[in-house]
Amino acid sequence: MLIESRDPQQVQWIQSYYQIFKDLSEYVKTTFPHGLTWNANGVSPKEAMKTVGSRESTASQAAAPSPSPSPSSAPSGAAGGPPPPPPPPPGPPPVFDNKDVGASAKPAAAGGIGAVFSELNRGDSVTKGLKKVSANEMTHKNPSLRASSIVPDRSESLSPTSSINRNKSPAPRKTPKPESLRTKKPPKKELDGNKWIIEHYDNEAEPIEIEATISQSILISRCNKTTIRIIGKANAISIDNSPRLSVIIDSLVSSVDVIKSSNFALQVLGTLPTILLDQVDGAQVYLGKDSMNTEVFSSKSSSINLNIISGEDEDYKEVALPEQIRTYIGENGQLISEIVEHAG
């Protein structure tokens, strides 16, 4: 609904209304810059109220404009008219300090807050200049008027409760593209500082060989159906999102960290302190006779098999890592976890 008014009295009234808060802000900053202060030798609250109220009423009467007769107010007074205006607003809050009482009893300037309240006390005559909107001028009752309205209609994004949005089904979530539909990037094998980066090898027929040193680490990412041979003793190896990857290493200083790589295979010819497996579904790890002290940490993984050398013939023996854990509450409320063994 659009209401147009060019009455200067209304513009002046709105500006006076805004001036209330500006004057109130200045009054608080000037009178109470550090908040209320307590004076043990000050006057009582009743005496302070009397002093402030008498001075404020005198200032309000001096600032109030004299009433001017109007043709519209005479017939309303003869017919009874509106109820008498409310009393003027109270003055500022009571102050319990003699100095603060003198500072807070400043008279209101002409045209300030006192003039605004005087306008409000006029009663119904304040709104007599507003334009009455008939039913045929209301846009919600006449949709055809919206086309010529200068007020822009709200977009659907700004009106979540509109009937259009309520009837519209939510937008489907975007699902990531499968690996088969993604744009294949060229294979990459480069040495960046002290880090080897191997990426985007897919179904390579020949093994990829790297000669690493003790200060170099190796990052293998998004390689599929590929065999990688690490020659020499490197620092650490990190592998992620590489299904059906086979890695053959001599020795490592630190660890092999494997994340989200299914059907993974690792063969250690020398020594390896630690193997970390996270979200790995299916893995074959071959440990040489020099790596019997290797520790394996697995989380959210399944079908992990260790192949260790046993016997004089040095044949590999396959041992499965446990997947089921039994946990119960022991003494003193502590949790105790045990591996579930399947016999038979």
Side-chain angles (χ1 to χ4, degrees), residues 59-303:
S60 299
Q61 292 177 2
S66 59
S68 58
S70 60
S72 59
S73 60
S76 61
V95 184
F96 303 103
D97 192 341
N98 290 333
K99 297 180 180 180
D100 291 340
V101 171
S104 62
K106 296 180 180 180
I113 298 180
V116 174
F117 283 112
S118 299
E119 287 290 324
L120 294 177
N121 291 336
R122 291 170 56 188
D124 295 341
S125 60
V126 176
T127 58
K128 67 179 181 179
L130 296 179
K131 180 181 178 181
K132 301 295 182 180
V133 180
S134 58
N136 57 356
E137 296 178 345
M138 298 180 181
T139 56
H140 68 282
K141 293 185 178 181
N142 298 275
S144 60
L145 297 177
R146 297 179 184 176
S148 60
S149 176
I150 63 174
V151 180
D153 295 334
R154 295 182 64 186
S155 61
E156 295 181 5
S157 60
L158 297 179
S159 56
T161 58
S162 62
S163 58
I164 298 178
N165 287 341
R166 286 197 299 267
N167 298 330
K168 184 184 295 185
S169 58
R173 295 183 179 178
K174 294 183 179 180
T175 57
K177 293 182 179 180
E179 293 291 340
S180 59
L181 298 180
R182 291 184 178 179
T183 303
K184 292 185 178 180
K185 298 182 179 180
K188 177 181 178 182
K189 183 183 75 170
E190 67 177 11
L191 179 61
D192 185 6
N194 290 330
K195 180 182 293 184
W196 279 98
I197 300 177
I198 305 175
E199 295 178 330
H200 307 295
Y201 281 92
D202 188 9
N203 201 10
E204 294 292 326
E206 299 295 331
I208 301 172
E209 295 185 355
I210 293 179
E211 294 185 1
T213 61
I214 196 172
S215 62
Q216 295 175 347
S217 59
I218 302 169
L219 174 61
I220 304 173
S221 177
R222 298 190 180 278
C223 295
N224 181 29
K225 298 180 182 179
T226 304
T227 301
I228 299 177
R229 176 73 170 94
I230 311 298
I231 302 174
K233 188 173 185 179
N235 190 350
I237 299 177
S238 298
I239 303 171
D240 68 278
N241 294 285
S242 299
R244 299 186 181 276
L245 177 69
S246 299
V247 180
I248 304 173
I249 64 174
D250 288 342
S251 297
L252 285 183
V253 177
S254 178
S255 63
V256 174
D257 191 356
V258 186
I259 302 174
K260 294 182 180 180
S261 300
S262 59
N263 299 320
F264 169 76
L266 172 65
Q267 183 176 3
V268 183
L269 302 179
T271 58
L272 173 62
T274 308
I275 300 176
L276 304 174
L277 303 176
D278 185 12
Q279 303 181 48
V280 176
D281 185 11
Q284 294 288 337
V285 179
Y286 297 86
L287 299 176
K289 59 181 180 180
D290 295 333
S291 55
M292 289 295 98
N293 295 326
T294 301
E295 296 182 350
V296 180
F297 297 86
S298 62
S299 61
K300 297 182 181 180
S301 301
S302 61
S303 302

Side-chain angles (χ1 to χ4, degrees), residues 301-337:
S301 301
S302 61
S303 302
I304 308 298
N305 296 322
L306 296 182
N307 295 271
I308 58 178
I309 295 178
S310 64
E312 297 179 355
D313 297 335
E314 297 186 353
D315 294 334
Y316 281 102
K317 177 184 177 181
E318 186 178 76
V319 181
L321 265 65
E323 298 181 13
Q324 294 183 348
I325 305 296
R326 170 176 173 259
T327 303
Y328 60 93
I329 302 175
E331 297 180 358
N332 300 328
Q334 296 181 354
L335 295 180
I336 301 176
S337 300

